[in-house]
Amino acid sequence: MSEFKTIPITLVTGYLGSGKTTLLNHILNNTKGYKCAVIVNDIGEVNIDAELIEKGGIVNKREESLVALQNGCICCTLRQDLIEQIHDIVKQRKFDHIIIEASGICEPIPIAQTINFLTQSFEQQGMPIYCKLDAIVSVVDTLRMVQEFGCGDELVKQEIGEDDIENLVIQQIEFCDILVMNKVSEVSPEELSRVKKIIRNLQPKAKLIETDYSNVDLKEILDTNLFDMENVLTSAGWFQEIEKDMEENDLDEHEHCHDHDEECHCHHEDGEECHCHDHNEHHHGHHHDHEHCHCHEHGETEEYGIGTFVYYRRKPFDRLKFEDWANKDYGKQIIRTKGLVYFTNDNKMSYIYEQAGRQRVLTENGPWYATLPRHQIEQLLLNDEKFRKDWDEVYGDRMIKLVFIGQKIDKKKIIEELDKI
């Protein structure tokens, strides 16, 4: 058998707007000899994250080092696609590492089980282990924890329901090997301390890294060999308390429990099935039940009431009107917005607009290709299929393309408001 090497996989999770793509860009810009393949799973009809990564010239899609999985979730509806893409990357034998960026509403457990199942299938067939999950990295938006989750207090209140956003954030924090606390300089030391205390209550064992702009030393998150399914399943704070309580009872009653998995928490490790909720199915149980995943399918509202849609048009926005609109508070109706915009007063420049909760950022993204000399445009039209598809004879490649993610979104109202800008 020819030589092989086990390719480590890093899974990057975290809530919408936490800084996962920024972390991915940082990794790819500082690979120090690593050859990284990237799988991006953004929700919605348009995979904005993959487009931004490719547009930045960091990875070359033509060399198949960037794979965009969309219109579904890799923890459920796209699990087979994920397995196939990992297989394809492994077969190329030209990458040292695979990085998977999960969507902001993915629960990490089913994804880990999928990768674990793939590794186990190699073993069961007597094959070399071509890939393995090296670590799960969860990115936490510290500023958002302060602004929207009461410095984390909202994550430990008693009345959290299975459908609440807080439950999703909790699971992303609980199930990881490395916690990256992002945007720490944007909160006060007192606020940081409060958030850190809550996070440590939820996840006492994971490596904790504090940073800004997702700037992390690669040695801290790549080739760590930290992932172990059993360890990560039992590392959450609530499980530690159960074990502690059971140990105290054992000492008092001289009884010993040897099967914590069955008595203390629910999970399945075979990777064979992932039981997702149907719209009409009613499920009652503890909000830490790991027998199912909460995700969306084809952009429709699902477990957490999260829906997504794309606003698209060619005509530019009036910048002042857009800024007035962007400053409106939609609460959880608009959790995350990301995409491309341009304005009537500067139609040569494209901008990236990002909103995560109360945070809003508008940054220059470079001139539109439509500003190039005509002969260069004609070459692009001749040689680039994607460019040709996006091209309009009136607007060129200029466009507004915004992906909205939120809870119980009033899509009609938002479209009507944007149409007036």
Side-chain angles (χ1 to χ4, degrees):
M1 185 174 289
S2 59
E3 290 186 12
F4 76 96
K5 60 179 179 179
T6 301
I7 300 179
I9 299 173
T10 298
L11 172 61
V12 180
T13 71
Y15 191 48
L16 301 162
S18 59
K20 299 186 300 298
T21 302
T22 305
L23 176 61
L24 185 56
N25 285 336
H26 172 69
I27 293 170
L28 294 171
N29 274 316
N30 297 275
T31 51
K32 298 179 180 178
Y34 280 105
K35 293 182 179 178
C36 294
V38 178
I39 298 174
V40 179
N41 175 217
D42 206 1
I43 72 174
E45 302 168 48
V46 178
N47 197 317
I48 291 294
D49 284 349
E51 288 188 5
L52 295 181
I53 292 166
E54 185 183 3
K55 191 175 182 68
I58 297 161
V59 290
N60 188 340
K61 197 166 184 176
R62 292 188 182 87
E63 294 179 0
E64 297 180 342
S65 54
L66 172 65
V67 178
L69 300 179
Q70 59 195 88
N71 282 336
C73 176
I74 57 175
C75 71
C76 176
T77 57
L78 297 179
R79 289 177 74 235
Q80 187 58 40
D81 287 7
L82 176 62
I83 290 173
E84 291 173 1
Q85 292 299 341
I86 292 173
H87 267 299
D88 289 345
I89 290 169
V90 168
K91 282 192 297 184
Q92 292 181 49
R93 296 192 178 188
K94 61 180 182 180
F95 297 105
D96 305 313
H97 210 101
I98 299 172
I99 302 169
I100 300 172
E101 182 192 349
S103 86
I105 65 165
C106 269
E107 292 177 8
I109 291 178
I111 306 171
Q113 288 171 331
T114 298
I115 300 169
N116 220 37
F117 168 70
L118 189 58
T119 301
Q120 289 172 355
S121 70
F122 291 139
E123 291 181 304
Q124 291 166 0
Q125 296 174 46
M127 298 170 60
I129 300 174
Y130 286 103
C131 64
K132 67 171 185 176
L133 187 54
D134 180 70
I136 300 175
V137 180
S138 180
V139 184
V140 177
D141 185 336
T142 310
L143 178 59
R144 197 163 190 180
M145 280 290 174
V146 171
Q147 292 180 336
E148 295 183 41
F149 297 103
C151 289
D153 291 343
E154 294 296 308
L155 303 184
V156 292
K157 63 184 182 181
Q158 293 297 314
E159 63 270 22
I160 293 175
E162 193 168 354
D163 296 350
D164 291 342
I165 294 297
E166 288 83 357
N167 187 39
L168 174 62
V169 176
I170 287 167
Q171 296 198 41
Q172 291 171 341
I173 291 172
E174 285 182 340
F175 193 80
C176 69
D177 304 295
I178 302 167
L179 275 163
V180 175
M181 289 185 66
N182 196 27
K183 309 177 188 177
V184 293
S185 67
E186 298 183 49
V187 302
S188 70
E190 294 77 17
E191 290 168 334
L192 176 60
S193 179
R194 284 180 61 192
V195 173
K196 194 189 303 185
K197 182 178 179 181
I198 295 294
I199 286 176
R200 270 308 183 206
N201 283 337
L202 293 170
Q203 173 47 272
K205 289 189 173 182
K207 180 194 291 187
L208 188 65
I209 301 171
E210 298 177 29
T211 189
D212 291 296
Y213 304 104
S214 296
N215 190 358
V216 178
D217 188 335
L218 298 196
K219 292 184 293 184
E220 298 291 323
I221 57 175
L222 297 184
D223 290 332
T224 65
N225 202 30
L226 285 174
F227 180 78
D228 179 273
M229 180 65 83
E230 187 60 28
N231 287 344
V232 76
L233 280 168
T234 59
S235 65
W238 65 272
F239 187 84
Q240 297 296 307
E241 288 301 313
I242 288 175
E243 283 207 319
K244 181 181 176 182
D245 182 64
M246 291 177 70
E247 288 171 5
E248 289 172 355
N249 288 336
D250 286 346
L251 290 172
D252 292 338
E253 301 174 16
H254 304 286
E255 294 178 358
H256 303 277
C257 171
H258 298 287
D259 200 354
H260 296 313
D261 282 348
E262 291 182 5
E263 298 190 20
C264 303
H265 67 291
C266 299
H267 68 277
H268 56 274
E269 298 181 13
D270 58 9
E272 292 287 341
E273 292 185 89
C274 179
H275 302 290
C276 296
H277 291 303
D278 185 81
H279 284 292
N280 301 315
E281 180 183 347
H282 296 280
H283 180 87
H284 303 281
H286 196 279
H287 73 269
H288 291 293
D289 184 0
H290 298 313
E291 290 278 355
H292 56 277
C293 63
H294 307 276
C295 55
H296 67 286
E297 184 175 1
H298 306 299
E300 296 297 324
T301 302
E302 279 283 351
E303 183 84 26
Y304 296 104
I306 293 180
T308 176
F309 77 93
V310 178
Y311 178 85
Y312 174 84
R313 82 181 199 197
R314 288 288 186 170
K315 193 170 69 171
F317 282 143
D318 179 288
R319 181 158 185 163
L320 292 179
K321 289 181 179 179
F322 177 74
E323 289 177 354
D324 285 343
W325 176 86
N327 285 325
K328 291 182 180 180
D329 185 4
Y330 283 85
K332 290 184 180 179
Q333 187 181 155
I334 300 180
I335 298 170
R336 180 80 160 121
T337 311
K338 193 169 187 177
L340 294 170
V341 298
Y342 76 112
F343 305 105
T344 52
N345 68 326
D346 183 14
N347 69 359
K348 294 182 179 180
M349 181 63 64
S350 67
Y351 293 82
I352 295 173
Y353 174 69
E354 294 192 66
Q355 169 266 329
R358 300 175 190 173
Q359 303 170 55
R360 295 164 179 83
V361 180
L362 187 69
T363 54
E364 289 188 358
N365 190 48
W368 295 102
Y369 285 114
T371 61
L372 292 172
R374 185 65 198 180
H375 71 277
Q376 292 185 29
I377 292 172
E378 288 174 353
Q379 283 296 314
L380 286 167
L381 287 169
L382 185 66
N383 299 317
D384 192 320
E385 184 180 348
K386 186 176 185 300
F387 180 79
R388 192 161 57 245
K389 183 179 177 182
D390 286 342
W391 186 259
D392 179 270
E393 285 304 319
V394 175
Y395 296 100
D397 60 324
R398 299 180 183 93
M399 67 181 72
I400 306 288
K401 187 186 286 185
L402 290 170
V403 180
F404 290 91
I405 304 168
Q407 265 189 318
K408 300 176 181 177
I409 304 175
D410 189 340
K411 177 181 174 181
K412 183 179 179 182
K413 180 183 177 183
I414 293 170
I415 290 173
E416 286 176 352
E417 290 177 349
L418 291 174
D419 283 346
K420 294 175 182 177
I421 295 177

